[in-house]
Amino acid sequence: MIEIEGLQKTFSAGDNPTAALKDVSLSIKQGEIFGIIGRSGAGKSTLVRCINLLERPSAGRISVNGREISSLSGAALREARREIGMIFQHFNLLSSRTVFDNVAFPLELAGRSKAEIAREVTPLLDLVGLTDKRDRYPSELSGGQKQRVGIARALASKPAVLLCDEATSALDPETTKSILALLRDINRKLGLTIVLITHEMPVIKEICDRVAVLDQGSVVEQGTVFEIFTAPQAEITRRFVSDVIDRPLPSMLIERLQATPLTQGNVVLRIVFTGPTANSPIISEVVQRYGVLLNILQGNVEYIQGAPYGNIVVEAVGQPQAVQEVIDHIRDNNLRVEVLGHVADAHRAVA
């Protein structure tokens, strides 16, 4: 659907050109919701603007729906852009036009008749839940309603691709969820390919099928959302993921935690369960087999793309050799485990 090969974009600023995109290559499939995430200044908005040639790349190729657009201009480019809808962070609605007229605007520019426009716009307003707002003006709408108008307007030309540039960043969490649910519904009903640019990992987790992580103009990692969340490779990705699914350790535990083993102490472990392993009875197994008690200090389970991801922190109470055997056993069962540190054994300390 969208093929990006060796994309580069350099902005000239006097004697100091800035490389906003560096050899970016991505393949986005028909009908998927593909997320592109990065911090401010990573090149996300430049990338999405290159996809519809609002920014012309310095080098590389972009193909949309089997058609290379990176070399187009004039009428050919305008025709190609009709297949690419776009919604923005700040809505970009025309304040002097009603909801109906805002959605109708691209059809008017295309020279469609009033009857054709009415036939096209009315079902779009129904699709985005704004039939009762058709005669209202943007100033009378909430932020979520304005974004729904923007979505309907982007769909008016019946695009094959919908680009979303920070489309939920200006919205509160509850409204964000409703807009993401709407985009998912549109994706399923229309088979629309959606490219979603964001700096918010919860947005990626909520709606995307696959994701690419952009850092300083380069793609540092890409994969399914489940892969990226459960086994991030790049440091920037790990930071994104930890903001969403790794709960901070309790302050009382942090105060007790030591980096080196203690004479009368226990090891603190983080055990990660992913996919089918989330249902593994590993805690009861190691207690029975090795005589090591695993005292749960913290735990939670997330569902990512419908698959469970569990993360528990335990204090392993037992002889050092038996604890090491437990760690080896856990790893042999394809679970991730890391030693967070050591704590004094409260019961032995009291004794």
Side-chain angles (χ1 to χ4, degrees), residues 96-135:
S96 61
R97 282 176 163 255
T98 64
V99 166
F100 183 96
D101 291 337
N102 264 282
V103 177
F105 188 60
L107 299 175
E108 293 175 10
L109 294 178
R112 306 287 286 276
S113 69
K114 288 186 177 181
E116 289 176 314
I117 289 172
R119 283 198 299 270
E120 296 290 343
V121 173
T122 299
L124 285 174
L125 293 179
D126 183 56
L127 177 66
V128 301
L130 290 178
T131 299
D132 61 335
K133 307 292 184 186
R134 59 173 289 149
D135 297 321

Side-chain angles (χ1 to χ4, degrees), residues 104-336:
F105 188 60
L107 299 175
E108 293 175 10
L109 294 178
R112 306 287 286 276
S113 69
K114 288 186 177 181
E116 289 176 314
I117 289 172
R119 283 198 299 270
E120 296 290 343
V121 173
T122 299
L124 285 174
L125 293 179
D126 183 56
L127 177 66
V128 301
L130 290 178
T131 299
D132 61 335
K133 307 292 184 186
R134 59 173 289 149
D135 297 321
R136 299 289 183 88
Y137 289 88
S139 61
E140 302 175 271
L141 304 177
S142 68
Q145 290 167 341
K146 290 176 184 177
Q147 194 57 283
R148 288 171 182 267
V149 177
I151 293 170
R153 181 183 58 189
L155 296 177
S157 58
K158 297 184 178 178
V161 176
L162 181 62
L163 306 179
C164 306
D165 188 8
E166 298 281 10
T168 60
S169 294
L171 306 176
D172 62 73
E174 184 175 350
T175 305
T176 291
K177 281 186 173 290
S178 71
I179 293 298
L180 294 179
L182 174 61
L183 289 173
R184 189 189 299 110
D185 186 53
I186 289 170
N187 166 258
R188 291 171 178 169
K189 286 181 178 177
L190 305 182
L192 195 65
T193 302
I194 296 178
V195 180
L196 195 151
I197 303 293
T198 184
H199 64 275
E200 300 173 300
M201 207 63 175
V203 170
I204 297 293
K205 177 176 175 286
E206 182 76 18
I207 191 176
C208 293
D209 301 307
R210 292 192 300 135
V211 59
V213 182
L214 205 62
D215 187 36
Q216 297 183 4
S218 299
V219 175
V220 297
E221 192 165 358
Q222 59 180 305
T224 68
V225 171
F226 189 82
E227 290 168 347
I228 293 297
F229 267 88
T230 59
Q233 302 300 309
E235 177 58 32
I236 183 69
T237 311
R238 286 193 285 270
R239 292 202 297 268
F240 273 127
V241 168
S242 66
D243 290 343
V244 180
I245 60 177
D246 288 343
R247 295 166 58 192
L249 295 175
S251 58
M252 291 182 64
L253 175 58
I254 293 174
E255 291 171 3
R256 294 176 58 205
L257 209 57
Q258 303 290 323
T260 56
L262 303 171
T263 303
Q264 290 188 325
N266 301 317
V267 179
V268 177
L269 307 174
R270 187 196 305 275
I271 306 171
V272 177
F273 304 78
T274 61
T277 66
N279 298 316
S280 173
I282 196 72
I283 301 295
S284 58
E285 281 183 10
V286 299
V287 169
Q288 294 175 15
R289 181 175 298 189
Y290 301 103
V292 173
L293 299 178
L294 297 182
N295 178 27
I296 297 176
L297 305 176
Q298 183 189 68
N300 68 299
V301 176
E302 297 274 350
Y303 281 83
I304 303 168
Q305 290 186 316
Y309 170 88
N311 185 323
I312 65 169
V313 176
V314 299
E315 179 183 354
V317 182
Q319 295 300 315
Q321 182 178 345
V323 171
Q324 185 57 54
E325 290 174 348
V326 165
I327 293 173
D328 293 340
H329 177 81
I330 292 172
R331 288 174 175 158
D332 289 343
N333 280 269
N334 298 316
L335 298 168
R336 295 211 318 271

